[in-house]
Amino acid sequence: MRRLTATATTLVALGMTAGGALASAAPSAAVPSTYAAGPGSSTAHRPAVVPAKDVAVIVLETLTPAVVGPGKDVTITGTVTAPLTGPLSGPEVRVVRGDVTVNQRSALDDWASGRTDTSGRTVDTTSLATVAAGQTRPFTATVPWERLRSDDAFAALPISVEVVQEGASEPTGMTRTFIAWNGRKEYVPLKVATVVPVTLDPDVDLASRDDAVRQSAWEQAIGPDSRVSRILEGTRGTPVDLAVDPSVLGPDLVADSGTTGPTPTGTSTPGGTGTTTSPSATSGTPSPSTTGTPGATGTPAPGSATSAPAPGGTTPTPAATPSTTTSAPPGGTPSEATLAIARLGDAVVAQLSGRSVWALPYADADIAATVGIDPANSLVRDLVSRASTLAARLGQPARADIVWPVDGLMPAGREQGIKTLLSGTTVKKPAGIVVSAPAVTKATAYTPTARRVTASGTRLLAYDTRLSALLPKRTDASPVLSVQRYLAETLVLLGERAGTPRSVLVTAPRTYDPDAAGLATFLSATSSAPWLQTVDAASLLTDSGNDKAVPQTKPVVPVASAAPRPVLNARRLARMAEQRDTLLSVSSVLRDGEEFERTYREVLDELASARWRWNPAGWVTLANSVDADIKAATSAIRVVPRTSTINLLAENGTLRITVENGLDYTVEDIRLRLVPDNPRIRIVEQPAPVTIGPSSRTNVPVEVAAVAAGRAEIRAFLTTADGTQIGSPATIPVAANPLDGAIYWVGGILVGLVLLAGVIRAVVKGTSRVDEIADIEAVTAAHEALGDADDGDRT
C-alpha cells in the first residue's frame, strides 16, 4: 500500500513519476507540448498544483544546500495539498532516508519511480495544522547533517518526503528524490559541457504576408517571455554553449541597406525572414504583379511583318492584382512590422553578445535527412555556408564546423554523407559531430567519456541522454527534483571509475522550453558541485591529458531518434534545389536582384529546417505557398503568346515579339531567343539584350527570312546572359508566302521572251518592201496627185 500511494502521489505532483524525466531520454515522435499548444501558448511561471482525488500532493520548492557535507544542515521547503475527498487532519511531514544503496543508474530509476519497496529511518518530522480538502499549505523541514552522514566519500542518498495523517501509519502522499553527499574529495572531477540549441518554432505565421500576423508570430517566437528569450535569460552568466540558428535573429536592416554587414556572394543576408514582402501560406495571393490577357483592350497586340511598326520602348501593363501585404515595396522603406521584427532580432543579438556561440546551418537545415538522400543538394549546402552570417551579425566568433544532426544518430554512411555535404560549402569539413552516446556505444560496464572518434578519425561529441533529459522544463513544478536527480546521476557516474578522467556532454532538444528562473537555479546548483568541472563543449574535440577519445562502437540494439521522422525526402529536396536555381536565374536579370532573391528565398530556405519534423502539416502548407509564389514570380517574365498566325509576305521581314515583365522589379540584360521548328523560316540575327521596367512590356524586333513557302512555328524564350532559360516561353505561328519575288522573276522572263521572239522574226523573214522604197515621202505625194486627177475626170 505504501508503494502504491507513493507512486500515485508522485504522478499527481509532477505530471509524471519522479523518474519520468528519464522516460523522455527515449524521444517520442509525438509533437512536443510546446508546439502542440500552438505558437504563443504559455503556462504559468510554476504550474498550479492540481489536487488529487484521494491522495495528498507534495511539491518540493527548495532543497538547500543542493550538496550536503559535514556541518551543512539541509532545509527543505514545499507545499502539501489535501485530497479532494477529505481534509488532512493534524498531518505531519516526514523526511525519510531510504535504507537502499544507490550506486547504479538502474537503482536511481527504481527509487525515483517508486519501484523500490523499502523502509527507512525518519530524519525529520514537521507538524502542520489541518489542511482542508483540496487546499494547499506550505511546510519547512530542516534535517541535521549528522542524520544524513555517510561513510562514503561521496554518495547519492535516497530521500522521501511523506505526509501522514494523525493516527495513521502509512503516508497519504509521498514524493521521492535524492540528497547529494560530499564528505571528502577522493575522485577526479568529471568535465561537464552543456549545449542548448536556440532555434525557431515551426510556425507558418512567421512567413505570413499579413504584417500584423507576421509581427505577432515573431514576438511570440523571439520576443519577451518567448521560448528563445527564456533560454537566453536562463543561461545568462553560465558556461553554457548556445547553438544558434542564424534565422532566429530576424531581418538585419543594416546589412540589407548595404552599408555594413557583408553578405557572401549568391546568398541572402542573415535573418532574411520577415523582410519586405514575404511569400505566404496564409495569403494565397502571389506577390509578383500579374498582367492582363494578351490582346485585351488597351494592350498592344504583337506586330507582324505586314503591320505598321509598333512604338519602341516599354508600355505599362494593366494594374496588378492587389497584394495583401502592407510591407514596403521593393527598394522602399521597410514596413513598421519589419522594423519591429528587426528590433526584436537586435535584442537577441544583444543577449548573445559575449556568449560562447555555435552557428547552426541557416534555418537549422535538416542535415540528418539531407545526407542520407542528397548530400550534394545545392540548397542545403548554401544554408550550411550561410551559418557564417551569424558571426557577422554578432560581431564575434561563432563556430560553424560542429555538425549537430537533429536525430542524434550515426547510421552507416552518415559520416561520409556529412563530409560530402560540407565539402561543397565554406565549412569544407566537420571538426566534430554531436551524437547521442547510445548511438555510438556498445553496452559497457561503465559510462565512457564524451570524447569519441570514428574509425576514419572524425571526432564525435557523445551526449549523455539521461543527464540531458534532466534539464528543467517549464512544465516542471519546480527545478528541485531535476537538480537533485542530476547530482545523483553524476555521483553514480563518478563512482563507476572515480580515479579515471572522463568528460560528459549534456544537450537540450531543439524543442527545449524552460522556465528562465528554474533553468538558472538548476545551472547554478549543478555547476557548483565540487565533483563537476564545467568546460566549453568545443574543448571536447581534442584530448585532454588521460581523457582521450574512445573509438566509436556499434550499439547492440537500435537507438531511438531524438526527433520525429523527417519531412524532407528525395523528391522534396530535389524540388527545393530546382526552385533555388530558378530564383537565382531570375534574380540575375533584375536590377534589384538581391532583394528579389531574399524576398522569395526566405521561405524556401525555411522549408529545409529540421523544426518542421514537429509540424509536418505546416511544412506542406508553406511548401504549397512557395510553389505558387515561385511559379508566379518566374512566369511573370514571359514572351506573350500569339493567338493568330503572322503572315510573312516577303522574303525578308521583321517580326515584333512582345516580352512582358509582371514583376515589381526592373528586368535588364535579358535575351530573347527564337528557334524555328523547320527550315522554311530562318532567323537572320538574334535580338540584342533588352531592359523592361516594372510591370511593363516591350516589343522586340526580330529580322527573319522566308526560305520557302509554308507554315512554321517559332519557339520564343528568354535567357540570362549565360544562356539559362527563365520565364515563360511562347510559340509564334508564322505563314511564309514569299510571292513578290516569284512575280518579278516570272515577269522578267516573259518580257525577255517577247523581245527574243521579235528578234528571231526579223532574222527569219528578211527586209520589208516598205524598207526597199528609197523616197517614201515622194511616192506618197505622187500617189495623192494621181488620186486628185482621177477625181476630176470623174467629175
Side-chain angles (χ1 to χ4, degrees), residues 31 58 95 97 103 145 170 214 277 292 297 363 482 489 536 577 706 712 733:
V31 176
I58 299 176
V95 180
R97 175 177 172 179
N103 56 11
W145 71 271
E170 295 294 328
R214 181 163 52 92
T277 53
T297 302
S482 295
E489 287 274 354
D536 180 79

Side-chain angles (χ1 to χ4, degrees), residues 661-682:
N661 171 24
L663 296 175
D664 293 328
Y665 303 81
T666 297
V667 173
E668 57 186 8
D669 200 27
I670 194 171
R671 271 76 167 170
L672 172 65
R673 292 294 177 260
L674 294 95
V675 179
D677 67 343
N678 64 61
R680 291 189 182 95
I681 298 294
R682 181 174 60 86

Side-chain angles (χ1 to χ4, degrees), residues 84-387:
L84 294 173
T85 53
L88 292 174
S89 302
E92 65 177 17
V93 176
R94 299 176 182 175
V95 180
V96 179
R97 175 177 172 179
D99 59 5
V100 62
T101 300
V102 179
N103 56 11
Q104 293 181 344
R105 285 185 154 187
S106 59
L108 290 169
D109 296 341
D110 292 341
W111 176 261
S113 64
R115 291 193 297 269
T116 303
D117 189 9
T118 182
S119 59
R121 60 188 178 90
T122 301
V123 294
D124 182 73
T125 301
T126 302
S127 298
L128 297 178
T130 297
V131 184
Q135 299 301 303
T136 300
R137 187 176 299 277
F139 71 87
T140 300
T142 300
V143 183
W145 71 271
E146 294 90 351
R147 299 181 183 179
L148 300 171
R149 181 173 182 171
S150 172
D151 293 333
D152 296 327
F154 54 89
L157 308 178
I159 296 292
S160 66
V161 180
E162 308 170 354
V163 59
V164 183
Q165 292 256 40
E166 184 178 13
S169 59
E170 295 294 328
T172 305
M174 173 194 301
T175 188
R176 290 184 171 188
T177 186
F178 304 89
I179 288 180
W181 168 264
N182 183 57
R184 57 190 179 274
K185 183 177 179 180
E186 295 182 359
Y187 48 75
V188 175
L190 293 170
K191 290 182 172 63
V192 180
T194 304
V195 185
V196 177
V198 180
T199 59
L200 291 171
D201 296 341
D203 183 5
V204 174
D205 287 343
L206 292 172
S208 175
R209 185 178 292 114
D210 186 296
D211 270 3
V213 172
R214 181 163 52 92
Q215 181 177 341
S216 176
W218 276 94
E219 288 173 349
Q220 293 167 8
I222 64 173
D225 198 38
S226 65
R227 188 174 64 86
V228 167
S229 177
R230 290 192 294 273
I231 290 174
L232 298 179
E233 181 67 22
T235 57
R236 185 173 58 183
T238 67
V240 170
D241 297 288
L242 299 174
V244 182
D245 167 11
S247 70
V248 165
L249 306 182
D252 182 5
L253 298 185
V254 176
D256 291 347
S257 68
T259 55
T260 61
T263 302
T265 302
T267 66
S268 60
T269 50
T273 306
T275 58
T276 64
T277 53
S278 173
S280 166
T282 59
S283 170
T285 304
S287 56
S289 302
T290 56
T291 59
T293 305
T297 302
T299 304
S304 69
T306 58
S307 64
T314 60
T315 306
T317 57
T321 302
S323 169
T324 57
T325 181
T326 56
S327 298
T333 303
S335 69
E336 287 299 324
T338 300
L339 293 172
I341 295 169
R343 287 192 291 269
L344 293 173
D346 291 341
V348 175
V349 170
Q351 288 178 291
L352 290 171
S353 178
R355 308 280 287 271
S356 178
V357 175
W358 294 359
L360 294 171
Y362 192 89
D364 191 18
D366 198 337
I367 300 297
T370 304
V371 297
I373 301 171
D374 182 14
N377 185 272
S378 59
L379 173 64
V380 178
R381 277 182 166 176
D382 179 58
L383 296 178
V384 171
S385 293
R386 290 171 59 198

